[in-house]
Amino acid sequence: MSVDRRTFLERTAAATAALAWPSAPPTTRRSDDLAPIFTEIEKRHDEAVSRLQEWIRQPSIAAENRGVNEGCELTMRLLKDAGFDQVTKIPSDGQPGIFATLDAGAPRTLGLYFMYPPWDAALVDRPGLGKVIMGRGAVNQKGPEATFLAALHAIRAAGRKPPLNFVLVAEGEEEIGSPHFPQIVRRPEVQAALRRVAGIFMPSAAQASDGQVTITLGAKGVIECELVSSGERWGRGPKKDIHSSNKARVDSPAWHLVEALATLVSPDGNEPAIDGYADKARALSASEKAMVATAARRLDEAVAKREMGVDHWVHDVSWVEALERLVSRPTVNIEGLVGGYTGPGGKTILPHRAVAKLDLRLVPDMTAAESLAALKAHLAKRGFGDIEVNMTGGYDPTTTPGDAALIKAQVAVYRRSGIDPVILPRIAGSWPGYVFTGDPLRLPAGHFGLGHGSGAHAPDEYYVIESQNAAVRGIDGAARSYVEYLYEVARG
Amino acid sequence: MSVDRRTFLERTAAATAALAWPSAPPTTRRSDDLAPIFTEIEKRHDEAVSRLQEWIRQPSIAAENRGVNEGCELTMRLLKDAGFDQVTKIPSDGQPGIFATLDAGAPRTLGLYFMYPPWDAALVDRPGLGKVIMGRGAVNQKGPEATFLAALHAIRAAGRKPPLNFVLVAEGEEEIGSPHFPQIVRRPEVQAALRRVAGIFMPSAAQASDGQVTITLGAKGVIECELVSSGERWGRGPKKDIHSSNKARVDSPAWHLVEALATLVSPDGNEPAIDGYADKARALSASEKAMVATAARRLDEAVAKREMGVDHWVHDVSWVEALERLVSRPTVNIEGLVGGYTGPGGKTILPHRAVAKLDLRLVPDMTAAESLAALKAHLAKRGFGDIEVNMTGGYDPTTTPGDAALIKAQVAVYRRSGIDPVILPRIAGSWPGYVFTGDPLRLPAGHFGLGHGSGAHAPDEYYVIESQNAAVRGIDGAARSYVEYLYEVARG
């Protein structure tokens, strides 16, 4: 049963009105007694949920250029409310980013990476999980980000200053491959601020549905692109949709695309077959393999399969091989196919244009620039040079050493919470960590946070607000984990 | 400049109100003096255009199950208005058909095949052509059909009875492959009525933009189908859309579809490669080849290419070969591709489902049933047996002898109009003529009509109302051609 929205809003509005927003006086209490902060987290639960709902509901769909400005403004307001003293919108050739700092007068400074993707925010009961918030952005990443802000609110409400200063950069284009994020991060004032930080952290919901946590020491790179086959560009086939009976004498841009696509992968669709694409892909080291083997013993294969609705891994490989593939193999994936008539039933046309939307995942030492060049050269060599390759975004892989202070702090906080984290060499997904971990900054960068959510980018994306499972943290428990993490890094 | 719609409707409403609708008394004038009928055609021009606009505007989209009932009712009213004395709606498991008769007390009876596809009806000036009516159905086939009704109105207004009795069958599902048309035609009362007819004729706009006319002695058969690849059915890949990073370990139903599609045609996308599919395809006979050679000399290759926006034929074949292929080759065409994310930009998902919409064109002696079975067997043999083949419609090829009385009458009328028609063994498009030309009726069946239109099924489908080109008939000239044809068949 979903919470009635009006009732919920009335409740949270009342809760918010009751709060005074004090300045943050230094306090004489022991700064590592976090109990008063945890009390504030619980008191401000409804406020935190309400903030998250407002944020998720704000559409900011970079691909459709819809609502991104409003999404940026709202994110900036939420940051100011959470105590950031300087919050600046950073224009780019695409959607704007955000640069924000919070000077707590602390000896250390932590970098934060935020993103503000779209959409919607229904509160629903989900059997076995508890009350969850559903909508695009719920777990990836507004849920964890808003919960981190809730942690800052709680610290302030408890009369404390944060134990760290913060430098935050945010972008609105992560889901289309962060094409303009380097423009934002590489501005001189942002680089200057980032040179002072101990590392970069992105709030996340690291718990699986069974409560287990996985730390990843990096991420694959990615290329998102459209392959466009058209009669205009090909010089064969029609320049507009024509009656399908003409197939007997007219070339088909749709078949041309299908034939080109079929050359990009092995016949089972599983191994990239782009010439030279994976030449620089680095195999897992012995220690990385050991990490994966340990992870495979500790992670539950059945849970992973059930959560994705998958009965078999590719080639029916074992669980450890599936994990090895996940962290070490470059991929070529079809995100979408669209061409000609796409409505119900059929329509007797020979379409003049067809499009495949692909994403390619890259591992060290592949780079986005070299991989894109390999794709284009591969197509050209096989007579598909006319097919447009429109890269909409992408970036290089990112890696952080397992012995970085930020990672050690993560492990420490998880262990104190009774969780022995699984550690993997990298996540199969992508985030533009390379702007921090690569030249010139060479910062450690990674995700942290208790809590659980799933379905990033899928219609049923959710983030757990109130957990039914004692092993899985709800929003308040997640906020507590951020507080503990900040104090751990400050102590470090 | 398009005619202002309100002005136009006011004009035609006034014209229509001025008409009294007399019963049709026998007349003592010579029955083959067609001049009074031709006068009525001109007098009733606005009325005829208005009728056509009303008809085209009525949506009846079989694929979307939208407006077909209203389209059927309107078609029935238009038939009654044109003098059909018995007009019955024939239910089928799909959209209803229409069975109508007009008993003029004439010695001969002619069969008519109508269809009532969708959409819209703007009157616009089109440079080089004149005033045209645009919209789905404009030329395929409401334009010619409404013009045929205008001919009947003119005959009656001139105080005549039609020189032939009529038996009409109409359907609303032609554009999705007429899946239920046999149910309509094979009803006992319809079969009984059709056994009395001299043959079947479908009003069409047979003139090319240069005025040339092509008579076709048959049509290819067709299968329209969707190929659906899904994780559910495959048992591999996900059962819902999941994050694209999982491609490294999860099979992709979209790649599975692409690989399956690539096996259906030659690497250039031009020759069917389905096992056994074309085994029964009959090559052109010597006389058919001669027909095509003559046609190639007389038809303008440049015009054909320009009208379709095509620079090259497949394999860069000659004009005569392109025509031979058009009339003699079975095809496998992609009408549309749709799967996963289809909006602007990209979205990092691994879709659980992807669909290709295909049409397959068949030549004698292929049949729809055998071709569908060949497609399914081909897929199963190659490990794609899980891919659903949903046939939405289709039927066998149709052929009519060149020496049938109906064809001879067509040639005679065209020649009297100063046009020496090109004759081709068959049209590359499809219509369900096999229900008339096949067992048990074995009737001659074909299209006839002066006038011009183009772009069937494309967004800019049009039918010429007032022609700028003396060689091309507008709607009145087309109506005159129907009158002449009816009298020619009556004389036969």
Side-chain angles (χ1 to χ4, degrees), chain B residues 253-272:
Chain B
W255 277 123
H256 192 54
L257 179 68
V258 165
E259 298 290 342
L261 288 173
T263 71
L264 300 181
V265 294
S266 57
D268 61 8
N270 288 327
E271 312 306 330

Side-chain angles (χ1 to χ4, degrees), chain B residues 186-371:
Chain B
R186 287 177 182 155
R187 284 172 76 102
E189 69 275 25
V190 179
Q191 288 281 304
L194 286 173
R195 272 194 290 272
R196 295 193 309 268
V197 308
I200 297 285
F201 130 78
M202 181 180 215
S204 77
Q207 292 190 283
S209 59
D210 62 356
Q212 187 52 266
V213 163
T214 300
I215 294 176
T216 51
L217 300 176
K220 286 183 178 173
V222 70
I223 290 175
E224 278 202 82
C225 62
E226 285 186 337
L227 265 51
V228 183
S229 173
S230 68
E232 295 89 323
R233 181 84 177 241
W234 190 14
R236 307 194 69 88
K239 293 182 186 67
K240 57 180 181 178
D241 292 354
I242 59 175
H243 194 270
S244 66
S245 61
N246 289 295
K247 181 65 208 83
R249 59 178 176 179
V250 177
D251 297 276
S252 160
W255 277 123
H256 192 54
L257 179 68
V258 165
E259 298 290 342
L261 288 173
T263 71
L264 300 181
V265 294
S266 57
D268 61 8
N270 288 327
E271 312 306 330
I274 300 167
D275 302 331
Y277 171 62
D279 285 357
K280 291 194 179 168
R282 201 202 307 153
L284 291 177
S285 68
S287 71
E288 286 172 330
K289 276 208 158 196
M291 242 181 240
V292 172
T294 305
R297 277 193 301 276
R298 300 193 46 209
L299 296 175
D300 190 328
E301 179 177 17
V303 169
K305 282 183 166 171
R306 193 174 60 235
E307 284 187 351
M308 289 192 291
V310 165
D311 294 332
H312 301 272
W313 304 120
V314 293
H315 315 304
D316 293 316
V317 297
S318 65
W319 177 223
V320 64
E321 271 187 90
L323 277 179
E324 281 186 3
R325 290 184 61 92
L326 189 66
V327 303
S328 70
R329 293 292 183 104
T331 58
V332 179
N333 175 62
I334 295 178
E335 297 177 345
L337 291 171
V338 55
Y341 177 69
T342 59
K347 187 177 168 194
T348 48
I349 56 167
L350 192 174
H352 73 107
R353 188 173 187 273
V355 177
K357 294 162 187 287
L358 303 184
D359 62 40
L360 286 63
R361 304 274 170 181
L362 322 175
V363 302
D365 298 318
M366 298 165 73
T367 67
E370 288 170 349
S371 301

Side-chain angles (χ1 to χ4, degrees), chain A residues 236 239-240 244 247-248 255 270 307 309 311 313 325 332-333 337 339 343 345 348-349 357 359 361 457, chain B residues 236 239-240 244 247-248 251 255 270 307 309 311 313 325 332-333 337 339 343 345 348-349 357 359 361 457:
Chain A
R236 307 195 68 89
K239 292 183 187 66
K240 57 179 181 179
S244 65
K247 182 64 209 84
W255 276 124
N270 287 328
E307 282 186 352
D311 293 332
W313 304 120
R325 291 184 60 92
V332 180
N333 175 61
L337 291 171
T348 48
I349 56 167
K357 295 163 188 286
D359 62 42
R361 303 274 169 180
H457 297 215
Chain B
R236 307 194 69 88
K239 293 182 186 67
K240 57 180 181 178
S244 66
K247 181 65 208 83
D251 297 276
W255 277 123
N270 288 327
E307 284 187 351
D311 294 332
W313 304 120
R325 290 184 61 92
V332 179
N333 175 62
L337 291 171
T348 48
I349 56 167
K357 294 162 187 287
D359 62 40
R361 304 274 170 181
H457 296 216

Side-chain angles (χ1 to χ4, degrees), chain B residues 67-80:
Chain B
V68 181
N69 215 46
E70 294 78 357
C72 183
E73 298 287 350
L74 174 58
T75 308
M76 290 173 71
R77 179 164 67 69
L78 295 177
L79 291 171
K80 282 177 199 154

